[in-house]
Amino acid sequence: MIRSVPRSRVFNSLYLLYLLAFFIYLALPLLVTAVFAFNDSNFPSLPWQGFTVDWYFANAAESGNRTGLFHDQGLLSALWVSVLVAFWVTVISVALGCVNAVLFERIEFRGKEVLYLVMLLPLVIPGVILGVSILVFYSGLANEVSLRWGIELDLFRPGLPLVIGGQVAFITTLSTLIIAARLRKFDPQLEEAALNLGATPIVAWFTVTLPWLLPAIFGAAAMAFLMSFENFNTTVMLTGSDTPLTVALFNRLREGSTPVLNAVALLLMAVSALLAMATLRRSQ
């Protein structure tokens, strides 16, 4: 929309209504979830029964039949598993993203375009298909090795290592794109000046190039952590006995929704918002 172009009052009114409807559509489900996290009812539905924080702090051993989030060992364990998975996915995908960005932006080699398209494939493949493909490939490989040589490759069986590997497969692509976009704007003459002043390529990288890339690296790390934390489609296919939070919430929902799940959702929304704000502030 061009501000200098005159618009009618009808157009402005319709445009304002559209914006209002759009933001209500975005925010209303989240707002309802946040409100029901404090409803003093055993079911996350109307009518409103009063304000309570039982769904966060209640302990069934002390105050009756309610167990809040911070006393629910199953959810806390799943939360820790999600944090652990997200941490390693972030570290690995950002490190690989830096290497990939340098590879595609600084080095010329035969087949570069084909390799770049292969790197983008995980973005257009549905998460469920990606999870099934990884599970079939690594389970088949582990079975073959076990049959031929009697070696058990537990690393390739459903569990946390396979979950981390599966998530890294597509989150690395996004990390690469973010870091490569920043590297594309870098002036190579700055690095050449450092080399002319006697710095080695490694010293020039850590003192000139890396500080320039830091905002993109922090942004990619935040994106990778949040994407790993909320991922369900790929994770549900690869998880073992240690279930991440998204899978644990899905299993709880199959048994019936409770206000504790609303409390978990509100906590995740708050943490995600704080992390996003911290990343934006760091980028600025």
Side-chain angles (χ1 to χ4, degrees):
M1 180 181 295
I2 303 174
R3 292 185 178 181
S4 58
V5 176
R7 299 182 299 271
S8 67
R9 294 182 62 182
V10 175
F11 178 85
N12 286 338
S13 300
L14 289 175
Y15 186 66
L16 184 61
L17 284 175
Y18 160 76
L19 288 179
L20 190 62
F22 177 72
F23 284 106
I24 289 176
Y25 169 76
L26 284 181
L28 193 57
L30 302 179
L31 182 62
V32 170
T33 298
V35 170
F36 281 135
F38 299 103
N39 188 12
D40 191 11
S41 169
N42 291 329
F43 303 98
S45 60
L46 293 172
W48 179 258
Q49 300 291 332
F51 180 84
T52 182
V53 290
D54 283 355
W55 308 118
Y56 286 98
F57 302 105
N59 188 351
E62 299 175 356
S63 60
N65 58 355
R66 290 181 176 179
T67 301
L69 168 61
F70 297 124
H71 293 280
D72 191 321
Q73 293 305 316
L75 288 178
L76 290 178
S77 175
L79 184 63
W80 171 246
V81 170
S82 285
V83 171
L84 194 64
V85 169
F87 172 78
W88 285 113
V89 168
T90 301
V91 171
I92 297 172
S93 62
V94 169
L96 292 177
C98 287
V99 176
N100 290 348
V102 173
L103 178 71
F104 288 117
E105 296 298 326
R106 293 287 186 86
I107 302 174
E108 295 297 331
F109 56 92
R110 183 177 296 179
K112 180 178 174 179
E113 290 77 12
V114 176
L115 199 60
Y116 191 80
L117 289 176
V118 171
M119 186 196 70
L120 296 179
L121 274 181
L123 294 183
V124 297
I125 297 176
V128 174
I129 303 300
L130 189 64
V132 170
S133 302
I134 292 172
L135 178 64
V136 170
F137 175 77
Y138 284 104
S139 292
L141 185 62
N143 291 336
E144 191 67 22
V145 171
S146 178
L147 286 174
R148 285 179 178 270
W149 297 291
I151 301 173
E152 290 298 331
L153 295 177
D154 293 334
L155 195 68
F156 293 163
R157 301 294 185 186
L160 292 188
L162 210 56
V163 170
I164 294 172
Q167 292 186 2
V168 165
F170 66 94
I171 292 177
T172 296
T173 302
L174 295 171
S175 298
T176 300
L177 294 177
I178 293 173
I179 298 170
R182 179 77 175 176
L183 185 60
R184 205 170 295 134
K185 299 177 182 176
F186 179 73
D187 185 358
Q189 291 183 348
L190 296 176
E191 208 171 74
E192 292 172 4
L195 295 174
N196 290 335
L197 291 173
T200 63
I202 295 178
V203 172
W205 165 261
F206 281 102
T207 57
V208 178
T209 312
L210 187 59
W212 170 264
L213 292 179
L214 277 182
I217 290 175
F218 279 116
M223 179 277 305
F225 190 90
L226 292 175
M227 285 197 68
S228 169
F229 203 92
E230 59 84 24
N231 181 263
F232 174 78
N233 294 340
T234 304
T235 303
V236 73
M237 297 295 169
L238 306 175
T239 189
S241 56
D242 296 324
T243 55
L245 186 61
T246 51
V247 180
L249 290 177
F250 175 72
N251 293 334
R252 291 285 182 95
L253 277 173
R254 294 172 66 182
E255 300 169 359
S257 180
T258 70
V260 176
L261 303 185
N262 294 69
V264 175
L266 180 59
L267 179 68
L268 295 182
M269 283 189 282
V271 172
S272 300
L274 289 175
L275 184 58
M277 291 172 62
T279 304
L280 288 175
R281 190 170 181 178
R282 177 77 187 181
S283 300
Q284 292 172 354

